[in-house]
């Protein structure tokens, strides 16, 4: 149950709804709609173990689960509606080992945010657009919009002032917190008038925060005590490709990729980011015959950094943005026409030896609070067995 949801509208419901939900369930849905939209979530049915909401409950978060404010926690009563402050919302459903009920059903949709200023955290830079109509309505000139580093100039069009601000330049500051890597900068809108100043300067504080599973984008305008907060959430840009040998020179471009049983398969994961101080490793890889379901019939090659398949091995990589590994086409392949691979990659700060990127196989019982890490899911495939020559035993 749970998972990433990216449609503009849809339905969430507890497992087996309208039948009774199972005991000991813990489901998290991450709803992420388009940039410049917000999520509105309305509950239509709630039937759970009521009382203090200690045993069975629903939680709604204003963004990713581990790093966002809790909008509400409940298990009964009226049917609430929640609206996110960004393009992302998380919903968690938890049940204990005692009583079981019908559960819940909720509908979500996306609504336009209506911003005068937009921000996108792209792989190589922060893309910020300020509306000239907004500046003019406030009495400011587009020619007086600058970064702290005056050498980095915006592009001024008839409608917009556009900044492309690199993560490792133009005065961008990098900070590391418990579970975020934060890139921040400030756009200043100066008021005109040199002798008498009747208007305040506007400071637009922009930041892209890397969370455990996503980019978080934040912008707020500071006018003395007036703060306007804006958030965006996106995902790291990552891909995985097959190679035809351990030299990792030639990519396999055919899809599906036809292979022989027990053939060595060579893969490379690549992180696309302009920040050179990041490292990527393989955290979990699981195989399944269904690209939408990696739970019902699953075979783990590596899980939480611990190899589960004897043929799994890693290779030296020339860059910290690459992770190279191999495994053998396994017996699982002979029973299913196609096999898909879903790998969860872990991104950490380069040289942060307390992070899971450097620790390798370890128990995940305690939540790590010492380092910034980010998990990204990538699905590749299908892999298909090569047809045996006619006349041979199948």
């Amino acid at each position: 149950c749970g998972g990433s949801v990216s449609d503009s509208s849809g339905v969430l419901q507890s497992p087996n709804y309208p039948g009774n939900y199972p005991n000991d369930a813990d489901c998290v849905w991450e709803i992420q709609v388009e940039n410049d939209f917000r999520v509105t979530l309305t509950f239509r049915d709630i039937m759970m173990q009521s009382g203090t909401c200690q045993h069975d409950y629903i939680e709604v978060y204003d963004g990713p689960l581990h790093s966002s404010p809790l909008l509400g926690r409940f298990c009964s009563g009226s049917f609430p509606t929640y609206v996110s402050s960004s393009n992302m919302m998380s919903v968690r459903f938890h049940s204990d080992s005692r009583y079981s009920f019908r559960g819940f059903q909720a509908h979500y949709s996306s609504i336009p945010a209506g911003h005068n200023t937009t921000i996108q955290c792209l792989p190589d830079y922060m893309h910020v657009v300020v509306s000239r109509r907004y500046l003019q309505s406030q009495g400011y000139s587009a020619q007086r919009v600058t970064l702290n580093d005056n050498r980095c100039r915006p592009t001024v069009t008839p409608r917009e002032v556009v900044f492309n601000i690199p993560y490792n330049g133009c005065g961008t500051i990098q900070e590391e917190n418990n579970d975020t890597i934060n890139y921040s900068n400030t756009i200043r809108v100066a008021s005109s008038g040199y002798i008498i100043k009747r208007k305040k300067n506007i400071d637009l504080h922009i930041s892209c925060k890397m969370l455990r599973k996503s980019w978080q984008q934040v912008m707020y305008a500071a006018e003395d005590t007036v703060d306007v907060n804006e958030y965006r959430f996106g995902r790291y840009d990552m891909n995985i490709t097959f190679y035809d040998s351990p030299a990792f020179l030639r990519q396999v471009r055919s899809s599906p990729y036809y292979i022989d049983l027990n053939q060595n398969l060579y893969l490379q994961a690549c992180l696309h980011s302009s920040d050179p101080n990041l490292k990527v490793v393989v955290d979990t890889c699981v195989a399944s015959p269904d690209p939408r379901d990696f739970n019902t019939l699953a075979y783990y090659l590596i899980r939480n950094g611990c190899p589960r398949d004897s043929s799994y091995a890693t290779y030296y990589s020339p860059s910290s943005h690459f992770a190279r590994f191999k495994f053998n086409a396994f017996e699982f392949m002979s029973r299913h026409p196609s096999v898909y691979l879903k790998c969860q990659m872990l991104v950490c700060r380069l040289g942060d030896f307390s992070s899971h990127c450097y620790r390798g196989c370890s128990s995940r019982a305690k939540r790590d609070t010492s380092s910034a890490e980010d998990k990204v899911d990538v699905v590749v495939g299908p892999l298909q067995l090569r047809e045996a020559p006619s006349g041979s035993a199948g």
Side-chain angles (χ1 to χ4, degrees):
C1 61
S4 294
V5 182
S6 56
D7 295 331
S8 59
S9 62
V11 177
L12 304 184
Q13 55 194 31
S14 49
N16 302 332
Y17 181 90
N20 285 12
Y21 51 78
N23 289 330
D24 299 315
D26 201 49
C27 316
V28 177
W29 291 268
E30 286 186 339
I31 308 169
Q32 182 179 336
V33 297
E34 291 183 46
N35 272 338
D36 297 325
F37 280 79
R38 293 180 181 176
V39 182
T40 176
L41 179 75
T42 303
F43 285 83
R44 303 282 177 87
D45 185 20
I46 304 170
M47 177 62 71
M48 299 167 62
Q49 183 179 356
S50 57
T52 59
C53 299
Q54 292 296 311
H55 308 290
D56 299 356
Y57 53 83
I58 303 164
E59 292 177 329
V60 180
Y61 290 86
D62 193 11
L65 182 72
H66 293 298
S67 48
S68 303
L70 178 67
L71 295 176
R73 175 177 172 148
F74 54 94
C75 57
S76 61
S78 60
F79 300 160
T81 294
Y82 297 98
V83 179
S84 65
S85 63
S86 70
N87 66 326
M88 190 170 182
M89 178 187 279
S90 295
V91 180
R92 181 185 179 204
F93 167 72
H94 176 83
S95 67
D96 68 1
S97 58
R98 302 207 293 180
Y99 307 108
S100 180
F101 296 87
R102 186 170 68 231
F104 77 91
Q105 185 183 69
H107 290 236
Y108 79 88
S109 59
S110 50
I111 53 174
H115 293 300
N116 297 310
T117 310
T118 60
I119 172 175
Q120 283 181 284
C121 290
L122 300 174
D124 294 321
Y125 54 86
M126 296 183 268
H127 179 72
V128 184
V129 178
V130 184
S131 159
R132 287 189 68 175
R133 182 183 291 177
Y134 165 68
L135 291 173
Q136 287 158 3
S137 72
Q138 301 298 309
Y140 293 96
S141 163
Q143 309 307 320
R144 300 182 66 81
V145 182
T146 61
L147 282 177
N148 283 339
D149 185 339
N150 285 322
R151 292 168 297 178
C152 299
R153 309 292 303 170
T155 301
V156 180
T157 72
R159 292 186 174 187
E160 299 166 334
V161 180
V162 182
F163 284 92
N164 290 329
I165 308 167
Y167 296 121
N168 56 348
C170 290
T172 299
I173 297 167
Q174 300 181 15
E175 295 174 299
E176 190 168 345
N177 297 321
N178 280 354
D179 60 353
T180 62
I181 300 166
N182 192 6
Y183 304 94
S184 58
N185 210 315
T186 304
I187 296 174
R188 177 150 293 175
V189 186
S191 65
S192 53
Y194 297 98
I195 299 166
I196 300 174
K197 266 192 153 177
R198 299 195 184 276
K199 278 188 169 293
K200 303 166 184 168
N201 295 334
I202 297 179
D203 283 354
L204 297 173
H205 301 277
I206 312 145
S207 62
C208 289
K209 289 184 182 176
M210 171 133 89
L211 301 168
R212 293 180 68 83
K213 287 192 177 177
S214 65
W215 282 94
Q216 174 192 354
Q217 311 179 16
V218 185
M219 172 183 289
Y220 64 94
E223 226 180 311
D224 284 358
T225 57
V226 181
D227 281 357
V228 181
N229 285 294
E230 294 186 7
Y231 300 88
R232 291 292 179 287
F233 294 97
R235 305 236 174 231
Y236 252 139
D237 189 9
M238 181 94 70
N239 71 337
I240 294 180
T241 48
F242 287 97
Y243 281 78
D244 66 354
S245 78
F248 291 93
L249 295 175
R250 286 189 304 276
Q251 285 187 24
V252 175
R253 300 193 182 276
S254 58
S255 180
Y257 178 20
Y258 289 98
I259 57 174
D260 298 315
L261 209 56
N262 220 33
Q263 176 182 335
N264 281 325
L265 302 177
Y266 305 97
L267 297 92
Q268 175 176 276
C270 177
L271 168 69
H272 302 280
S273 171
S274 64
D275 183 354
N277 299 308
L278 296 177
K279 176 181 175 65
V280 61
V281 299
V282 184
D283 183 68
T284 297
C285 267
V286 56
S288 166
D290 184 349
R292 297 170 302 279
D293 179 3
F294 285 88
N295 295 313
T296 308
L297 196 59
Y299 179 82
Y300 282 90
L301 297 166
I302 179 172
R303 191 170 193 178
N304 295 336
C306 304
R308 294 291 188 86
D309 182 278
S310 60
S311 70
Y312 180 90
T314 57
Y315 286 89
Y316 165 78
S317 169
S319 162
S320 63
H321 283 199
F322 295 151
R324 292 174 168 180
F325 58 103
K326 59 83 69 168
F327 63 92
N328 293 0
F330 32 84
E331 188 60 32
F332 191 80
M333 285 283 315
S334 64
R335 299 196 300 276
H336 305 283
S338 296
V339 170
Y340 295 82
L341 202 61
K342 180 179 180 180
C343 293
Q344 187 172 69
M345 316 305 296
L346 199 60
V347 185
C348 309
R349 296 295 288 172
L350 195 61
D352 178 6
F353 294 102
S354 66
S355 74
H356 289 304
C357 289
Y358 288 91
R359 276 192 240 157
C361 179
S362 62
S363 158
R364 299 290 172 93
K366 284 196 224 163
R367 186 156 168 251
D368 181 35
T369 56
S370 62
S371 61
E373 297 172 6
D374 183 8
K375 290 184 176 178
V376 184
D377 286 341
V378 185
V379 177
V380 288
L383 296 169
Q384 293 187 1
L385 275 182
R386 219 187 302 271
E387 291 293 325
S390 59
S392 65

